[in-house]
DNA sequence: ACCTGAACACCGTTCAAGT
DNA sequence: ACCTGAACACCGTTCAAGT
């Protein structure tokens, strides 16, 4: 782990990809992606703001690496238990993914687009495709179902997470939002006003419902058992 | 519409919320949300970069207003046609919403969080809740289904849209991604490699599949007809 | 080889000053 | 009332210079 000096004049580097990523992950958790800048990282690691450019091509590469680090172990932590079928495991896996993304506001943006180049992201993709294959879905369905589930999970996290860092607690925020809806014109928005008191259950409840519906929809496509 | 001078010394203002929003929407369409800055707007409207602060509290307010402007007419353009039930109409409405968001990269972030305060956003919410109520779903299901559908649509647009502005055409990008997957270790990622050729169909195909599955899942919750 | 210093081209935003 | 000018506190990034 630690660098062994092979010659007299060699100084051990103060920095490393690992140290920088660790700092980035920490700041991702406390202040979200906007809090991780070249300056804040420099301060946290007691180096010059531009020092990280020796280890990363640019800020984007660092964010993607930090985002991937957050997914560590996720694919492995959800084994196939008795009584749980593959789609139930997929459900839990998505819950875990959401939890990881929600606790690091903005991390969803680092996972978001493109293929899974990063190691933990790749493991997650593999695990999801594997679970979906186990259900008996056709290959085409497996691939499309994978995309549907990952886009819903990551996409909703990208939407929901930002509010968590700046705003007060979720309950009071939602109360305020419901009150906002109640003041809407009953003539122009009759349904909205009628349902206002039910709007904005906790974000977690919302997410689980949508994920359950999505997975129930996939069950419709399953061959008869 | 045009300002009538009520006294001698009054000059007609060169700027207005409308003109600024129009400029912002245009730049949202051409270069995405990153392209709309105080400086670029100033240049487009031939005013000082800080001039817009007379009309908007901050950049966030402007972006939200521009994002809402994009949703204009969306709720009305999808009437209940014969042979189409309410969920089919909801499907089309979501497609329209996605198209609007995808053609203005980053606009999804302006729609994303919080309640629908903006007029067009409100109309869209009302329309969706109305359609879902027509299906016969319970009020609780209506509200949760609304959240699921809107989060999937806006969330996936937030993920998919950014790539559209910078990258080349979608087909070549996806070919590259599939090739990337094929180079993955067959031992570590057997399923990924096997399905690599099927991965990344067009984003539109992906989205429609997921939306269809989601709405099919909602059909499961419908009372018997 | 590893990090620093200075510099550059950007941001959003405030506020006093001009007309 | 409406807009400008100057200034401030931030960004990411490059590159020559130090050790």
């Amino acid at each position: 782990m630690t660098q062994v000096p092979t010659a007299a004049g060699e100084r051990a580097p103060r920095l490393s990809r690992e140290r920088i990523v660790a700092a980035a992950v920490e700041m991702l958790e406390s202040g979200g992606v906007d809090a991780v800048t070249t300056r804040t990282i420099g301060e946290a690691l007691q180096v010059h703001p531009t020092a990280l450019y020796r280890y990363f091509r640019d800020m984007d590469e660092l964010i993607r690496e930090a985002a991937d680090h957050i997914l560590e172990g996720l694919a492995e932590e959800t084994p196939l238990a008795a009584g749980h079928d593959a789609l139930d495991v997929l459900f839990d896996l998505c819950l875990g993914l959401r939890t990881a993304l929600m606790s690091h506001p903005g991390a969803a943006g680092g996972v978001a687009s493109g293929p899974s180049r990063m190691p933990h992201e790749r493991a997650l993709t593999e695990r999801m495709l594997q679970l979906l294959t186990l259900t008996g879905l056709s290959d085409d369905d497996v691939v499309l179902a994978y995309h549907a589930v990952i886009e819903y999970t990551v996409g909703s996290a990208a939407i929901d997470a930002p509010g968590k860092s700046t705003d007060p607690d979720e309950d009071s925020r939602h109360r305020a939002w419901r009150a906002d809806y109640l003041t809407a014109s009953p003539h122009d928005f009759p349904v909205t006003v009628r349902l206002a008191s039910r709007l904005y259950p906790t974000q977690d409840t919302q997410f689980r419902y949508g994920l359950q519906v999505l997975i129930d929809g996939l069950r419709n496509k399953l061959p008869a058992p």
Side-chain angles (χ1 to χ4, degrees), chain A:
Chain A
M1 224 49 174
T2 26
Q3 196 91 3
V4 179
T6 51
E10 289 188 17
R11 276 179 303 255
R14 311 174 53 195
L15 251 41
S16 65
R17 283 181 78 95
E18 289 73 23
R19 286 199 64 205
I20 298 172
V21 167
V25 168
E26 213 167 303
M27 308 173 67
L28 218 46
E29 188 155 9
S30 57
V33 72
D34 290 343
V36 33
T37 74
T38 54
R39 266 90 176 173
T40 55
I41 283 179
E43 198 178 8
L45 298 177
Q46 298 283 36
V47 296
H48 196 267
T50 65
L52 64 89
Y53 284 93
R54 283 272 145 190
Y55 300 87
F56 296 92
R57 149 194 281 275
D58 53 25
M59 209 49 181
D60 223 73
E61 187 180 300
L62 169 55
I63 296 294
R64 283 209 308 273
E65 191 119 343
D68 191 62
H69 189 265
I70 283 164
L71 308 181
E72 191 177 355
L74 218 56
E76 294 78 18
E77 279 168 8
T78 48
L80 258 175
H84 273 214
D85 69 2
L87 286 179
D88 290 334
V89 177
L90 183 65
F91 184 91
D92 290 342
L93 187 52
C94 288
L95 281 189
L97 174 55
R98 175 179 170 86
T99 301
L101 294 175
M102 290 294 285
S103 59
H104 300 81
V111 180
S113 63
S116 327
R117 297 177 212 276
M118 300 314 229
H120 299 130
E121 214 178 324
R122 270 206 141 106
L124 193 64
T125 300
E126 173 70 14
R127 178 71 170 141
M128 287 181 130
L129 290 174
Q130 182 200 347
L131 287 168
L132 284 164
T133 299
L134 283 175
T135 62
L137 281 172
S138 75
D139 283 354
D140 283 331
D141 278 334
V142 163
V143 166
L144 286 166
Y146 160 73
H147 281 120
V149 164
I150 200 84
E151 291 241 324
Y152 176 68
T153 304
V154 178
S156 77
I159 294 176
D160 295 347
K164 294 205 66 174
S165 54
T166 50
D167 289 4
D169 69 297
E170 201 184 329
D171 278 350
S172 64
R173 227 180 331 131
H174 286 176
R175 253 194 305 278
W177 290 356
R178 277 188 288 265
D180 201 59
Y181 273 131
L182 280 168
T183 66
S185 154
H187 178 260
D188 292 339
F189 308 105
V191 187
T192 305
V193 172
R194 183 168 64 80
L195 298 178
S197 65
R198 296 175 198 265
L199 282 167
Y200 294 98
T202 69
Q203 291 184 331
D204 210 58
T205 306
Q206 291 172 40
F207 174 75
R208 293 173 94 108
Y209 181 91
L211 186 61
Q212 193 64 68
V213 169
L214 196 56
I215 286 181
D216 279 354
L218 289 177
R219 279 191 210 279
N220 290 346
K221 295 189 173 286
L222 253 43

